[in-house]
Amino acid sequence: MSLVSGPGVAGNTSSLPNEIQLAISAHVSYIQSLDTRRDELEYWLTEHLRMNGLYWGLTSLHLLGRPDALPRHETIAFVLSCQKDSGGFGAASGHDAHLLSTVSAVQILVMVDAIDELDSKGKGSEGGKGGVELVGNYIAALQDRMTGTFRGDEFGEEDTRFIYAGFNALSLLHLLHLVDVPLAVLFIESCANFDGGYGVAPGAESHSGQIFTCLAALTIAGRIDMVNKDKLGRWLSERQVEAGGLNGRPEKLEDVCYSWWVAASLTMIGKLHWIDGDKLAKFILSCQDTENGGIADRAGDMVDVFHTVFGLAGLSLLGWEGLEPVDPVYCMPKKITERVLGTRV
Amino acid sequence: MASHNVPRPAIIEVKTEQSRLREQNQIDEYRALVDLIDVKITEHQYTLQVLELTSKLLSKNPEYYTVWNARRRLLTCGLFPKLSASSSPLTASQSTSQIGTTTTSSADVSSSITNSSTESKEILDNFDSQTHRKNGTTLELIKSDLGFIFPLMIQYPKCYWIWNYRLWLLKEGNARLETHIARDLWMHELALVGKMLVRDSRNFHGWGYRRNVVAELESPKLNGFSMAEAEFEYTTKMIKANLSNFSAWHRRSKLIPKLLNERKADDATRHDFLNSEFELITEAIYTDAYPYAQSVWFYYQFLMSTLIEPTGSSAINPNCTLQDRIVYLSKQLISLKDMLDGAEDCKWIYDALLEYTLVLCRMREREATPEERQDCLLWLSELRKLDPLRNGRWGDFRLAGSG
Ligand SMILES: [Zn+2]
């Protein structure tokens, strides 16, 4: 999967019809075409996002109702080729292991129902099992047992995003017991701000992306009760601007990816109705390239797979007809998280 | 991350054969460089030449985190002089003896520095030559690296890996350099991040970096002391430059409790302090178009929250009695009603009036009076009219007694 932007551009129809449609088949072919663009320099410059990109593309296809549009065997082979002896996954073969690629790898393998293959063929597997455990151990070793936070890799960068990444992957592997969940929850609590939001670390400004990761981590930990839902709902609902799109922080520009971070957060605290869903849907649709497929950050900009998945996931949260329902915690099809985790309340 | 703010070209050009070939050449060159670095690192060739190769690649692609990692290994496993067994920073005498043995590599470093950008020279010039000699190679390497990164930070201010690498590098300095030298490096960072925030006063990474730099400068290991007063002044400066800088308002809200504790402020001083903050924000709200800008209102909410929950972690005046707080809040309600004059279309005022009228009822442990209920219903209908995007929120408002 490549992160090459374009060739499509958003909102290229000169006059938008009253009822804008979701260009489902264009988006499917756009994603299918991404790995064929090796003759573009940008394909190689974005190699560090290949694993994330595959997760974004595959999730898009699942939401679009075309889960088989990428070849399953090649997908599994690619993911396993990026695994390191430590159990962690890199962004592509030859890239160092990092928590962010590892969580994407686990999510991909769950989506194509290949956790068994990880267990039997992944690093650390012996006699047909053990691969899953090694991945779990790799992630668990990234937790700082004094503070509860997770590092992104051996070099120690810490960020509330990584707590979520750790919880996400470990819960999908049924290995959450390998880490100190209550301690991580305490750390998240220390990142809370007066506006009800959360920042990247204690003292940091509230940011929609960080809020999403903190709420999702708290949901996985079963501690969403810690959130001041009225205060946070108010702050999050103020992310919607006149054009219908959502921004990440006060007085910033709207951007399609925040359709996911903000709307998923509102969903997790039961307040999605605090914004205007119709206007948000219209905004997202205005950012798609209806001819060549793909969604951009804003109308008139280049499309890419990152904004494509988060635009589609936002529409799915809004109940857009023709899209698979998305799980607001995992950004994966609900059907799949229910298969793996059972029905959660 | 993915493409942000990349405008589409007016016409999508069909690639000519010539431009296709040119792109293929660029790809081949890029991939050859990637492969070369891979080979050298696998062979543990931790030399300045390989360091230069990683610089070349990272200038083309600063998102290549694996290469930033390679650079870390180049320094810690090869180029930095070995840390003493106790992992303590070099003492003056140790580093003097170090110089004799590392003259050659030191000269190499200097020549590589000469090739770096003018920014890096500017940084280096701020250190006197005596400092150079004292800490030898380690300092040269760190400063050269800081100089290499700086233009990348300017060009890619939102790239996580660059900021992280820079912090890592400086923390290596803490462990490897004499305290006052490590401290000088961090001081320089404070000035640098100040410049970055002038360029983009809301840069999320920039504010985070500043928080990190200040925490280091305050830490006992660098003989630090609290910078709350200076940082508070800094937020004042940033806010005066742009009242919509929520990042600065936010930082201010975090500094105040610390500041007051350090000043050992008594209750009266705290009361006056809160007054002056309310004056500041009210003045901001009255400035030009700011009643319609949300940053000022979120700070207003912060100040009000310190009255409503006085003992929380962001306390300003924790000993304020309930009666005093009720009086204070009532005064604010009057001032809010005054604000409506000439700003009848400002939803934030109605939002605040509605919220704090109901809060005041709760603090007084009584239901809203018929008159207050009448007001609230009126404000709510204004909110529905002025702010239909959030109709779902207004619809959830339940006035006590109305179910
Ligand atoms: Zn975006």
Side-chain angles (χ1 to χ4, degrees), chain B residues 17-181:
Chain B
E17 182 59 16
Q18 202 184 7
S19 74
R20 203 191 60 76
L21 276 175
R22 202 181 322 119
E23 186 158 10
Q24 193 54 52
N25 279 338
Q26 286 174 328
I27 293 171
D28 294 344
E29 203 181 301
Y30 174 79
R31 296 190 65 196
L33 183 57
V34 169
D35 291 344
L36 182 62
I37 291 172
D38 192 40
V39 167
K40 301 275 182 193
I41 295 294
T42 312
E43 290 171 354
H44 299 276
Q45 287 194 35
Y46 298 140
T47 64
L48 282 170
Q49 285 70 28
V50 181
L51 190 76
E52 274 302 307
L53 291 177
T54 65
S55 302
K56 199 173 157 192
L57 184 59
L58 290 167
S59 303
K60 287 179 197 235
N61 184 6
E63 297 276 357
Y64 208 136
Y65 69 88
T66 303
V67 178
W68 286 113
N69 291 347
R71 208 172 163 88
R72 289 173 162 112
R73 291 192 191 96
L74 274 162
L75 291 173
T76 54
C77 305
L79 297 172
F80 280 154
K82 292 277 169 295
L83 277 175
S84 58
S86 62
S87 283
S88 65
L90 299 173
T91 64
S93 60
Q94 275 173 321
S95 51
T96 318
S97 67
Q98 202 91 33
I99 304 248
T101 58
T102 55
T103 349
T104 354
S105 60
S106 208
D108 284 355
V109 175
S110 310
S111 71
S112 82
I113 291 167
T114 329
N115 300 330
S116 319
S117 63
T118 43
E119 276 92 351
S120 83
K121 254 198 85 40
E122 188 190 307
I123 287 170
L124 292 173
D125 288 347
N126 290 331
F127 294 87
D128 60 38
S129 54
Q130 205 184 2
T131 329
H132 275 226
R133 282 200 303 277
K134 253 192 169 178
N135 283 260
T137 317
T138 304
L139 183 63
E140 296 256 6
L141 282 163
I142 291 178
K143 280 192 296 186
S144 158
D145 220 2
L146 291 173
F148 160 68
I149 304 164
F150 184 67
L152 291 180
M153 290 167 77
I154 299 287
Q155 204 181 341
Y156 307 96
K158 289 181 178 172
C159 176
Y160 280 95
W161 311 108
I162 306 180
W163 294 96
N164 291 337
Y165 180 82
R166 196 171 179 94
L167 274 179
W168 172 87
L169 187 65
L170 287 151
K171 286 180 179 168
E172 284 297 310
N174 288 351
R176 294 168 187 275
L177 300 169
E178 283 178 65
T179 305
H180 73 279
I181 294 172

Side-chain angles (χ1 to χ4, degrees), chain A residues 255 257 297 306-307, chain B residues 4:
Chain A
D255 177 339
C257 59
D297 59 346
F306 174 83
H307 289 95
Chain B
H4 280 111

Side-chain angles (χ1 to χ4, degrees), chain B residues 322-335:
Chain B
L322 178 65
Q323 195 46 46
D324 285 349
R325 292 190 283 122
I326 287 174
V327 170
Y328 211 118
L329 228 65
S330 312
K331 275 192 202 154
Q332 283 304 316
L333 280 177
I334 294 168
S335 136

Side-chain angles (χ1 to χ4, degrees), chain B residues 121-316:
Chain B
K121 254 198 85 40
E122 188 190 307
I123 287 170
L124 292 173
D125 288 347
N126 290 331
F127 294 87
D128 60 38
S129 54
Q130 205 184 2
T131 329
H132 275 226
R133 282 200 303 277
K134 253 192 169 178
N135 283 260
T137 317
T138 304
L139 183 63
E140 296 256 6
L141 282 163
I142 291 178
K143 280 192 296 186
S144 158
D145 220 2
L146 291 173
F148 160 68
I149 304 164
F150 184 67
L152 291 180
M153 290 167 77
I154 299 287
Q155 204 181 341
Y156 307 96
K158 289 181 178 172
C159 176
Y160 280 95
W161 311 108
I162 306 180
W163 294 96
N164 291 337
Y165 180 82
R166 196 171 179 94
L167 274 179
W168 172 87
L169 187 65
L170 287 151
K171 286 180 179 168
E172 284 297 310
N174 288 351
R176 294 168 187 275
L177 300 169
E178 283 178 65
T179 305
H180 73 279
I181 294 172
R183 192 178 167 78
D184 278 352
L185 291 176
W186 287 105
M187 281 306 287
H188 192 269
E189 293 304 290
L190 190 64
L192 181 140
V193 75
K195 280 184 204 156
M196 297 280 293
L197 288 173
V198 168
R199 276 169 169 261
D200 174 5
S201 65
R202 294 292 305 281
N203 185 312
F204 197 67
H205 298 280
W207 283 97
Y209 193 70
R210 187 175 186 95
R211 227 178 35 249
N212 275 302
V213 170
V214 168
E216 290 291 330
L217 283 169
E218 288 179 332
S219 71
K221 66 175 184 278
L222 291 181
N223 300 329
F225 45 87
S226 172
M227 295 170 64
E229 293 283 353
E231 284 299 286
F232 183 74
E233 275 310 303
Y234 179 73
T235 66
T236 311
K237 190 181 95 184
M238 294 301 276
I239 288 160
K240 296 231 154 118
N242 175 11
L243 291 171
S244 271
N245 190 337
F246 185 68
S247 306
W249 289 113
H250 164 83
R251 179 126 172 92
R252 192 174 180 87
S253 79
K254 293 285 178 185
L255 287 163
I256 288 174
K258 193 176 171 195
L259 185 87
L260 290 172
N261 287 340
E262 284 172 10
R263 286 182 186 172
K264 299 194 170 50
D266 59 18
D267 292 348
T269 314
R270 286 169 179 272
H271 184 83
D272 291 347
F273 188 92
L274 187 61
N275 278 343
S276 67
E277 286 303 293
F278 265 113
E279 266 166 40
L280 176 74
I281 198 68
T282 309
E283 205 179 298
I285 290 171
Y286 270 106
T287 306
D288 297 332
Y290 288 102
Y292 304 93
Q294 52 180 273
S295 292
V296 288
W297 285 103
F298 281 117
Y299 191 70
Y300 185 82
Q301 283 176 18
F302 161 70
L303 293 180
M304 292 297 261
S305 74
T306 69
L307 286 166
I308 299 163
E309 307 148 33
T311 53
S313 60
S314 51
I316 293 182

Side-chain angles (χ1 to χ4, degrees), chain A:
Chain A
M1 187 61 48
S2 96
L3 263 293
V4 182
S5 57
V9 289
N12 55 352
T13 24
S14 48
S15 62
L16 289 170
N18 284 338
E19 271 309 305
I20 326 166
Q21 297 296 315
L22 181 64
I24 291 184
S25 60
H27 296 319
V28 172
S29 10
Y30 165 69
I31 291 157
Q32 285 176 316
S33 76
L34 288 172
D35 207 42
T36 64
R37 296 170 58 182
R38 293 161 195 248
D39 58 345
E40 292 177 43
L41 180 61
E42 206 188 330
Y43 177 91
W44 300 102
L45 290 179
T46 53
E47 203 178 43
H48 61 280
L49 286 173
R50 202 76 83 220
M51 186 71 81
N52 300 136
L54 180 54
Y55 157 71
W56 294 328
L58 189 62
T59 305
S60 303
L61 291 171
H62 275 258
L63 296 180
L64 289 163
R66 292 289 312 278
D68 301 323
L70 288 180
R72 180 173 184 274
H73 276 297
E74 284 170 37
T75 300
I76 299 169
F78 168 76
V79 172
L80 293 182
S81 77
C82 300
Q83 198 183 17
K84 300 282 167 184
D85 291 336
S86 63
F89 291 81
S93 157
H95 290 243
D96 285 352
H98 193 280
L99 182 54
L100 293 178
S101 331
T102 303
V103 64
S104 283
V106 169
Q107 287 181 290
I108 294 163
L109 293 174
V110 166
M111 274 194 282
V112 298
D113 200 6
I115 292 300
D116 286 348
E117 285 180 58
L118 172 66
D119 208 34
S120 59
K121 291 181 195 149
K123 300 276 183 199
S125 57
E126 241 176 87
K129 58 192 290 241
V132 168
E133 201 184 321
L134 187 70
V135 177
N137 290 338
Y138 165 79
I139 298 171
L142 292 172
Q143 189 181 33
D144 181 333
R145 298 291 167 146
M146 301 297 287
T147 62
T149 54
F150 283 71
R151 294 179 296 276
D153 61 20
E154 63 192 283
F155 293 108
E157 173 208 359
E158 290 182 353
D159 184 322
T160 41
R161 286 184 305 157
F162 301 148
I163 296 180
Y164 166 62
F167 279 15
N168 179 324
L170 288 173
S171 61
L172 288 174
L173 297 173
H174 303 285
L175 292 174
L176 201 54
H177 59 272
L178 293 181
V179 292
D180 190 337
V181 173
L183 196 61
V185 167
L186 273 181
F187 182 82
I188 295 175
E189 195 179 16
S190 74
C191 299
N193 290 320
F194 76 86
D195 47 31
Y198 298 84
V200 51
E205 179 184 351
S206 297
H207 180 290
S208 303
Q210 285 335 120
I211 290 170
F212 164 79
T213 62
C214 290
L215 296 190
L218 290 174
T219 306
I220 293 171
R223 290 306 313 276
I224 195 75
D225 61 288
M226 281 183 25
V227 178
N228 187 329
K229 299 188 179 73
D230 280 337
K231 261 192 187 179
L232 179 56
R234 177 189 205 168
W235 190 89
L236 286 168
S237 71
E238 295 295 347
R239 298 306 106 238
Q240 188 165 38
V241 303
E242 270 319 300
L246 301 162
N247 61 17
R249 291 184 286 153
E251 301 186 67
K252 301 284 283 184
L253 276 180
E254 70 275 23
D255 177 339
V256 159
C257 59
Y258 290 106
S259 307
W260 173 254
W261 316 119
V262 175
S265 299
L266 283 167
T267 305
M268 284 187 269
I269 58 170
K271 308 234 182 272
L272 185 58
H273 63 292
W274 280 19
I275 57 170
D276 188 327
D278 288 345
K279 279 195 97 170
L280 175 58
K282 276 206 183 103
F283 168 75
I284 299 172
L285 291 171
S286 75
C287 297
Q288 58 176 346
D289 181 324
T290 48
E291 252 170 65
N292 300 307
I295 302 177
D297 59 346
R298 273 182 292 283
D301 284 353
M302 300 286 265
V303 305
D304 62 61
V305 65
F306 174 83
H307 289 95
T308 302
V309 66
F310 293 124
L312 292 173
L315 286 173
S316 169
L317 281 179
L318 295 168
W320 194 264
E321 215 186 301
L323 288 179
E324 276 291 321
V326 68
D327 186 317
V329 176
Y330 289 88
C331 196
M332 289 161 69
K334 248 196 178 129
K335 270 204 303 217
I336 287 176
T337 54
E338 279 172 6
R339 161 168 65 75
V340 177
L341 304 165
T343 314
R344 291 160 301 137
V345 191

